Amino acid sequence: MTDILLYDNWERQLRVFSPIRKDWVGLYCCGPTVYDYAHIGNLRTYLFEDLLRRTLELNGHHVRHVVNITDVGHLVSDADEGEDKMEAGSRRTGESAWDIAEKYTLAFKQDLHSLNMLEPQIWCKATDHIAEQISFIACIEQKGFCYITSDGVYFDTSKQDDYGYLSRLNREGLEAGKRVDIGEKRNSTDFALWKFSPANSQRQMEWDSPWGRGFPGWHIECSAMSAKYLEPWFDIHCGGEDHIAIHHSNEIAQNQACHGTRLANFWMHGYFLQIDAGKMSKSSGDFLRLQSLIDLGIDPLAYRWLCLSAHYRSQLNFNWDALRASQTGLNRLRETYLALPDGGSVNQSYADRFIAEVNQDVNVPKAIAVMWEMLKSPVIDADKKATLDYFDQIFGLHLKQWKPKQNAISEEVTHLLEQRKLSRMNKNWAESDRLRDEIKGLGFEVEDTADGMKVKPVD
Ligand code: AMP
Ligand code: ZN
């Protein structure tokens, strides 16, 4: 097999992957902040991580995959100010912070399942690891890297010469150019390790600590839990590109202070999903969930297939035409697969070319091109099917399990459903009713529920 080359953001270049330990590869992926549903942008990042894990496994590695659940400490502002997103979510929904954490964690796991992502071996919740986070902060304190203000314990980034190296941060430029009020912080890049509960209000989530009652900062959970489950020096750490400048830089600073390591040997980041060239953001409250696509009759695996069509280090612009094309392409691929006879064997030459592409920094789009070429080639049909099964270990399209659906929703109906969704968003009720009738004429009933539009065949 060829070497696996991965793009490491620490060195900003492709590097040959070689595991630190003989028996397992440690993969830590920053998980969701569970104050709301995941949007399809978030899911693109987890899809990239799923493809990375599948690549490692196809190469025979045993991956220890850890995903955390951020259920405390992620503040509304990255400058460690404002409300905790969980407490804000609780105010928005009227449910307790603990209940919404549970609810959105379950919904997130369901999304991963619908997208046929491999389940991580270890899920870990920040609130289940308060003791580990307190010991990590105590270690940082003992090594002299923090100070205490009236609202918390802060990491002193000026104590590290290479703080911010991951994002090639220009510290002098930053300090000179900033006129922002940093309060009691010594440097604008300093960040909270522990925040004290506000004196005038009761938090739902708070704990005692050697420094006072309060809650952990967002970054410390990942340092503490990755050290617990993967040791303080492990193979690969992933997240979305927005994590490079702050969250991951701060995780590295914490580890360097306490353990003297930069945490992970490889730092890999998924580029964002854009909507109409704008960033999709959860905090804006107006976003597309996987369920929004399912309600429109779109198969979640069509979204998976769409994401597979773009390399993880390029931004992907979401639009309905691309999603529809992806659904059509996936259906054709499934039908092609179904029509092929069983009993063949994997075509080694195409399998080798395929793996050479995925080993080139998880280049799935190029691997897909190898697949189309194989399907057009003179390889015998039964071998084509066996080779597709082999490819599907990376694609994760469940080709083997797929059965043609009765009453499948046609492209035309999907298109009308999208138009109806738009007209409802624009409060154009007359048009929305007209579209409902048109859809009915094509054999589908639309129901508007609190969870969005549902479609079913007319009885
Ligand atoms: P959050 O739940 O906000 O903590 O984010 C969960 C993951 O989704 C993180 O790895 C983010 O970097 C990533 N992410 C956030 N927005 C997007 C987006 N528009 N496209 C791709 N990934 C994203
Ligand atoms: Zn993290």
Side-chain angles (χ1 to χ4, degrees):
M1 274 201 200
T2 51
D3 281 340
I4 306 177
L5 283 169
L6 300 176
Y7 188 85
D8 171 26
N9 258 315
W10 180 266
E11 291 201 3
R12 301 258 169 119
Q13 61 174 336
L14 289 171
R15 291 172 53 209
V16 174
F17 175 73
S18 158
I20 295 173
R21 293 166 195 83
K22 198 161 54 60
D23 299 332
W24 52 271
V25 170
L27 173 65
Y28 186 93
C29 303
C30 289
T33 310
V34 284
Y35 67 105
D36 206 334
Y37 294 107
H39 59 60
I40 57 171
N42 300 130
L43 295 171
R44 182 187 185 205
T45 290
Y46 300 104
L47 277 166
F48 141 60
E49 293 157 354
D50 183 65
L51 294 174
L52 172 64
R53 171 166 163 195
R54 287 169 182 267
T55 298
L56 293 164
E57 291 184 347
L58 196 64
N59 281 269
H61 294 292
H62 174 72
V63 181
R64 194 177 287 180
H65 182 189
V66 181
V67 177
N68 68 297
I69 299 287
T70 299
D71 55 355
V72 69
H74 194 167
L75 302 191
V76 171
S77 143
D78 276 343
D80 289 319
E81 279 153 22
E83 210 176 359
D84 187 319
K85 291 188 178 191
M86 297 303 300
E87 307 259 341
S90 164
R91 251 190 320 98
R92 190 191 76 239
T93 60
E95 295 164 74
S96 81
W98 296 98
D99 286 348
I100 61 170
E102 188 68 27
K103 168 171 152 188
Y104 295 125
T105 300
L106 279 177
F108 175 70
K109 290 184 178 176
Q110 178 57 47
D111 285 348
L112 297 200
H113 180 73
S114 304
L115 288 165
N116 194 22
M117 294 196 219
L118 302 172
E119 171 101 14
Q121 284 87 350
I122 298 162
W123 288 105
C124 43
K125 283 203 289 194
T127 52
D128 282 344
H129 296 80
I130 299 298
E132 288 85 348
Q133 294 175 77
I134 290 177
S135 339
F136 210 110
I137 300 169
C139 171
I140 293 171
E141 183 178 43
Q142 197 229 324
K143 306 252 169 123
F145 283 86
C146 62
Y147 59 92
I148 298 176
T149 71
S150 62
D151 82 339
V153 181
Y154 281 83
F155 190 98
D156 187 346
T157 52
S158 67
K159 295 262 165 87
Q160 275 172 348
D161 288 344
D162 64 349
Y163 172 78
Y165 180 75
L166 185 69
S167 68
R168 305 300 190 263
L169 181 72
N170 171 359
R171 279 162 80 176
E172 284 82 43
L174 187 76
E175 293 299 333
K178 276 225 164 145
R179 298 272 179 280
V180 290
D181 178 14
I182 58 171
E184 293 172 61
K185 287 205 295 191
R186 293 182 187 165
N187 312 285
S188 62
T189 45
D190 292 357
F191 56 91
L193 296 166
W194 187 265
K195 291 275 278 189
F196 301 137
S197 293
N200 50 357
S201 63
Q202 169 83 44
R203 276 182 57 92
Q204 298 178 43
M205 294 173 152
E206 55 179 8
W207 297 265
D208 286 326
S209 83
W211 310 278
R213 196 158 175 79
F215 58 99
W218 170 35
H219 319 294
I220 197 72
E221 64 172 281
C222 290
S223 288
M225 295 192 284
S226 60
K228 173 167 178 169
Y229 295 109
L230 298 175
E231 300 182 20
W233 175 237
F234 60 90
D235 298 283
I236 309 174
H237 195 312
C238 294
E241 57 174 325
D242 58 325
H243 284 349
I244 300 173
I246 298 180
H247 182 51
H248 288 171
S249 294
N250 294 349
E251 283 186 40
I252 292 171
Q254 293 167 154
N255 266 60
Q256 226 141 28
C258 180
H259 294 293
T261 71
R262 62 177 161 86
L263 200 77
N265 191 11
F266 282 78
W267 284 89
M268 297 179 68
H269 298 93
Y271 280 41
F272 266 23
L273 180 83
Q274 315 273 125
I275 289 222
D276 296 331
K279 183 181 139 184
M280 174 172 286
S281 113
K282 197 147 81 175
S283 50
S284 72
D286 182 20
F287 57 80
L288 279 175
R289 297 164 49 191
L290 189 64
Q291 190 61 44
S292 328
L293 310 188
I294 298 171
D295 290 343
L296 292 173
I298 289 159
D299 182 335
L301 292 182
Y303 179 62
R304 182 178 173 104
W305 192 226
L306 174 69
C307 289
L308 265 54
S309 70
H311 187 245
Y312 79 89
R313 275 194 299 116
S314 61
Q315 280 167 347
L316 172 62
N317 198 23
F318 176 85
N319 64 62
W320 294 101
D321 285 344
L323 183 62
R324 248 196 317 274
S326 171
Q327 178 78 71
T328 309
L330 176 61
N331 290 346
R332 286 210 187 107
L333 178 61
R334 286 163 160 168
E335 277 149 21
T336 305
Y337 176 89
L338 201 69
L340 294 169
D342 292 324
S345 46
V346 175
N347 178 288
Q348 205 47 51
S349 134
Y350 277 106
D352 289 347
R353 283 185 52 201
F354 180 88
I355 204 157
E357 294 298 358
V358 291
N359 283 358
Q360 192 69 27
D361 196 26
V362 200
N363 201 331
V364 176
K366 284 223 174 132
I368 293 175
V370 171
M371 175 194 77
W372 291 124
E373 200 187 312
M374 188 274 294
L375 286 174
K376 282 191 217 120
S377 76
V379 167
I380 61 164
D381 281 354
D383 288 1
K384 281 184 180 166
K385 188 168 203 167
T387 311
L388 276 179
D389 282 333
Y390 175 80
F391 295 169
D392 206 29
Q393 293 176 77
I394 293 285
F395 296 153
L397 296 173
H398 265 330
L399 288 178
K400 232 188 181 57
Q401 287 87 341
W402 183 74
K403 303 243 172 348
K405 257 202 229 116
Q406 300 289 309
N407 295 321
I409 296 177
S410 67
E411 275 177 49
E412 190 184 1
V413 172
T414 307
H415 182 62
L416 293 172
L417 286 165
E418 283 155 17
Q419 284 188 327
R420 185 164 182 274
K421 189 169 176 153
L422 279 179
S423 50
R424 288 179 65 78
M425 278 162 81
N426 296 329
K427 305 205 179 349
N428 187 346
W429 310 120
E431 175 66 358
S432 148
D433 288 346
R434 191 194 65 72
L435 286 161
R436 180 205 295 270
D437 293 342
E438 195 176 339
I439 294 165
K440 195 164 186 177
L442 292 168
F444 290 89
E445 197 107 54
V446 188
E447 205 191 322
D448 298 304
T449 72
D451 284 336
M453 262 199 274
K454 304 264 183 256
V455 247
K456 61 175 192 311
V458 178
D459 296 327

